[in-house]
C-alpha cells in the first residue's frame, strides 16, 4: 500500500537503479564526511594534508565544542560531548601525509522521537526530495541531512587551519552573526575580533548588544517558531593569487562550500547585491602602492578580483533560513500521498546562526586549503 502511495507521488520509480551521493569536497585537499544523525557516530576522512604537520585531538576539539549542541540555552538541548578520536594518518603527533580519519561517537541519539517522520514529510526539510531521489531515507533526525553531518566538515576545517599554522601563519579568519531576523549588527567586519564573538552565546560581534538577541530567540522559541539570519566571515592575511580563472574562481568555490551547509539560502561577497545601486565610478576599488605592495583604497570586491585573491581581506556573507522544524502544527503530505498534519518532535535549534559560525569557518578553511595547495602545485613557492 505504501509503495503504491509513493509511486503516485512519483517516488522510487526506479528503485533498482544504482544511486550515488557526493560526500567528498575538494581537489587536492579532500574531505569526505560520513555518518548519520542517529547512527553510531559521524566523522571525516581528510586526504591531501601534507606530512609533518603537528596534529592532535586537542587541536580539533575546540572547534567541535563551538559547533556542538547543548552549549547554551538558545540552541538544541541534545547533550553530546562530541569528543573526537583520530583513527589514522597521525604518528608521533605529526601528520603522515596519508589519509587522516577522525570520528565522533553519537551518545545522545533518540531515534524514537522521530517515529512520526517515518510516514510524513516535514515541510521545508529534505524528507520528500530524498525519498523521491533514492527511494529510501533515514527518517531518524534526517540522517545525512542533519546538521550533525557538519561535524566532519568542522574536523576537516580544523586540520586545514592547523596546516596553515605551519605553511601560512599570517592567514586567519573569523566568522560571526551579522543578522538575526530583522536585527543587524553595526560593527564593521574589519573591527570584529574572535574574542568578542566568542564572549557571548549568539556569537554577535558586539557582546553588549547580544542580550537583546538572546531575548528575541527565547521569545520566538517560546512561541514554537524559529528565526533565520546572516553569518559574515572575514579572512585576513590571505596570499595574493589563490583561485583559478573561469570555473574555479575563489568566490565561486566559497559560494559552493557555504551553500552546501544545511539551511543556507544565499551568498554574497564584497558589496554583494548592494553594489548594484552604485555606478562603476563609485564601485571600483582604486589601486595604490604601499611600499612594494599593491593595495586597494576600498574593498568592494571583497578581496577577490577575477576569481583570484588580491591580498585584501576576503569578506562574504551567508544567509540561513529559519530552522524548518518548529513546534507549530503544519500541513503536509504523508508517504501514501494523503494530506496530513504534523507537529514536530525531537530537539532542535530555534536559530541555527550561533552554531553555523564554526561551520562557515570550517568550509572557508577547506576552500583556502585546497586552493593554496593547488597554487603551490602550479606556481611553486613563488
Amino acid at each position: 500500500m505504501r509503495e503504491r502511495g509513493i509511486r503516485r507521488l512519483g517516488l522510487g520509480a526506479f528503485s533498482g537503479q544504482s544511486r550515488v551521493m557526493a560526500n567528498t569536497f575538494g581537489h587536492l585537499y579532500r574531505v569526505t564526511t560520513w555518518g548519520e544523525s542517529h547512527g553510531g557516530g559521524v566523522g571525516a576522512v581528510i586526504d591531501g594534508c601534507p606530512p609533518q604537520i603537528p596534529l592532535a585531538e586537542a587541536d580539533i576539539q575546540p572547534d567541535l565544542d563551538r559547533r556542538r549542541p547543548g552549549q547554551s540555552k538558545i540552541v538544541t538541548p541534545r547533550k553530546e560531548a562530541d569528543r573526537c578520536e583520530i583513527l589514522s594518518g597521525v604518528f608521533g603527533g605529526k601528520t603522515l601525509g596519508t589519509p587522516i580519519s577522525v570520528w565522533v561517537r553519537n551518545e545522545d541519539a533518540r531515534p524514537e522521537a522521530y517515529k512520526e517522520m517515518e510516514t510524513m514529510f516535514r515541510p521545508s526539510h529534505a524528507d520528500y526530495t530524498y525519498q523521491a531521489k533514492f527511494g529510501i531515507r533515514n527518517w531518524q533526525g534526517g540522517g545525512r541531512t542533519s546538521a550533525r553531518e557538519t561535524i566532519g566538515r568542522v574536523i576537516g576545517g580544523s586540520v586545514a587551519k592547523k596546516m596553515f599554522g605551519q605553511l601560512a601563519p599570517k592567514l586567519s579568519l573569523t566568522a560571526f552573526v551579522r543578522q538575526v531576523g530583522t536585527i543587524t549588527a553595526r560593527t564593521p567586519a574589519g573591527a570584529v575580533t574572535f574574542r568578542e564573538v566568542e564572549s557571548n552565546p549568539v556569537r554577535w560581534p558586539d557582546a553588549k548588544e547580544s542580550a537583546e538577541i538572546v531575548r528575541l530567540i527565547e521569545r520566538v522559541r517560546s512561541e514554537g517558531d524559529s528565526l533565520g539570519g546572516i553569518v559574515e566571515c572575514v579572512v585576513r592575511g590571505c596570499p595574493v593569487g589563490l583561485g583559478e580563472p573561469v570555473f574555479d574562481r575563489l568566490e565561486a568555490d566559497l559560494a559552493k562550500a557555504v551553500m552546501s551547509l544545511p539551511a543556507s539560502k544565499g551568498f554574497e561577497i564584497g558589496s554583494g547585491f548592494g553594489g548594484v545601486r552604485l555606478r562603476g565610478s563609485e564601485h571600483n576599488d582604486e589601486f595604490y602602492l604601499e611600499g612594494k605592495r599593491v593595495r586597494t583604497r576600498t574593498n568592494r570586491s571583497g578581496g577577490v578580483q577575477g576569481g583570484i585573491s588580491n591580498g585584501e581581506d576576503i569578506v562574504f556573507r551567508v544567509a540561513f533560513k529559519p530552522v524548518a522544524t518548529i513546534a507549530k502544527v503544519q500541513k503536509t503530505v504523508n508517504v501514501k500521498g494523503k494530506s496530513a498534519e504534523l507537529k514536530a518532535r525531537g530537539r532542535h535549534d530555534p536559530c541555527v546562526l550561533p552554531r553555523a559560525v564554526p561551520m562557515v569557518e570550517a568550509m572557508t578553511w577547506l576552500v583556502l586549503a585546497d586552493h593554496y595547495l593547488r597554487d603551490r602545485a602550479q606556481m611553486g613557492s613563488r
Side-chain angles (χ1 to χ4, degrees):
M1 175 67 77
R2 190 172 68 183
E3 290 182 358
R4 288 200 297 272
I6 290 173
R7 289 195 181 99
R8 283 201 298 272
L9 292 173
L11 310 182
F14 301 97
S15 59
Q17 182 177 338
S18 175
R19 309 282 194 179
V20 294
M21 293 177 69
N23 298 289
T24 301
F25 183 86
H27 294 270
L28 295 187
Y29 188 91
R30 296 170 61 86
V31 174
T32 301
T33 70
W34 56 267
E36 289 81 35
S37 176
H38 290 265
V42 290
V45 177
I46 301 109
D47 205 356
C49 180
Q52 300 192 48
I53 303 296
L55 183 67
E57 289 150 354
D59 297 314
I60 300 170
Q61 196 60 52
D63 288 321
L64 289 176
D65 290 343
R66 295 170 62 220
R67 193 225 69 93
R68 72 176 177 83
Q71 61 186 277
S72 76
K73 61 183 179 180
I74 59 171
V75 303
T76 170
R78 179 170 173 171
K79 298 186 181 303
E80 296 280 1
D82 285 352
R83 306 304 301 182
C84 66
E85 181 180 353
I86 297 175
L87 303 178
S88 69
V90 177
F91 181 76
K94 292 185 177 181
T95 59
L96 292 168
T98 58
I100 301 168
S101 182
V102 186
W103 90 303
V104 168
R105 186 187 302 274
N106 289 336
E107 297 177 334
D108 191 24
R110 299 181 190 175
E112 67 281 357
Y114 298 88
K115 184 66 176 176
E116 194 173 9
M117 285 66 161
E118 182 181 9
T119 57
M120 286 199 275
F121 302 129
R122 293 170 294 176
S124 285
H125 272 275
D127 300 340
Y128 166 72
T129 50
Y130 263 53
Q131 189 77 46
K133 182 176 178 66
F134 300 107
I136 188 173
R137 63 187 169 91
N138 185 337
W139 47 265
Q140 299 175 338
R144 289 288 287 165
T145 70
S146 167
R148 193 144 184 82
E149 176 273 335
T150 62
I151 283 176
R153 304 169 187 241
V154 172
I155 290 169
S158 292
V159 175
K161 177 167 59 174
K162 190 68 175 178
M163 179 191 84
F164 277 119
Q166 292 291 111
L167 303 182
K170 293 182 179 180
L171 177 62
S172 66
L173 64 89
T174 301
F176 59 96
V177 176
R178 168 62 74 187
Q179 182 174 338
V180 173
T182 60
I183 303 177
T184 302
R186 295 164 291 185
T187 308
V192 174
T193 65
F194 179 82
R195 176 176 291 184
E196 186 82 357
V197 171
E198 291 300 309
S199 70
N200 65 89
V202 186
R203 296 199 164 94
W204 199 254
D206 185 343
K208 295 178 182 178
E209 299 175 351
S210 65
E212 177 186 0
I213 314 302
V214 171
R215 288 193 294 269
L216 172 63
I217 295 173
E218 289 181 323
R219 186 180 79 244
V220 171
R221 171 186 247 169
S222 69
E223 295 168 355
D225 223 326
S226 63
L227 287 162
I230 295 172
V231 170
E232 188 162 338
C233 184
V234 54
V235 180
R236 302 179 175 97
C238 183
V240 177
L242 299 193
E244 303 293 336
V246 192
F247 298 114
D248 287 355
R249 291 170 176 252
L250 186 60
E251 72 264 52
D253 280 356
L254 284 170
K256 177 181 179 179
V258 296
M259 288 295 288
S260 72
L261 288 168
S264 60
K265 283 296 179 183
F267 173 86
E268 63 175 12
I269 188 167
S271 62
F273 291 104
V276 304
R277 301 187 183 96
L278 304 177
R279 297 187 179 190
S281 56
E282 299 171 305
H283 189 274
N284 288 346
D285 295 319
E286 291 186 357
F287 290 114
Y288 72 98
L289 285 174
E290 185 179 81
K292 294 183 178 181
R293 180 185 170 188
V294 177
R295 298 290 308 274
T296 62
R297 296 192 185 280
T298 53
N299 191 24
R300 298 185 185 94
S301 300
V304 182
Q305 294 171 325
I308 299 170
S309 60
N310 64 7
E312 302 295 332
D313 288 353
I314 298 172
V315 183
F316 65 87
R317 292 162 292 282
V318 192
F320 289 88
K321 68 177 182 177
V323 176
T325 301
I326 59 177
K328 294 178 178 290
V329 175
Q330 300 179 86
K331 295 186 183 299
T332 187
V333 172
N334 62 29
V335 296
K336 295 181 179 180
K338 297 184 180 297
S339 298
E341 285 191 343
L342 172 69
K343 183 175 181 180
R345 305 288 193 273
R347 299 154 292 173
H348 306 281
D349 296 87
C351 178
V352 74
L353 277 298
R355 295 176 64 212
V357 166
M359 300 176 196
V360 169
E361 289 180 356
M363 295 310 297
T364 306
W365 283 119
L366 296 186
V367 172
L368 295 175
D370 195 42
H371 276 283
Y372 183 84
L373 294 177
R374 291 170 70 175
D375 185 65
R376 285 185 55 167
Q378 182 181 28
M379 307 301 297
S381 59
R382 296 183 183 269

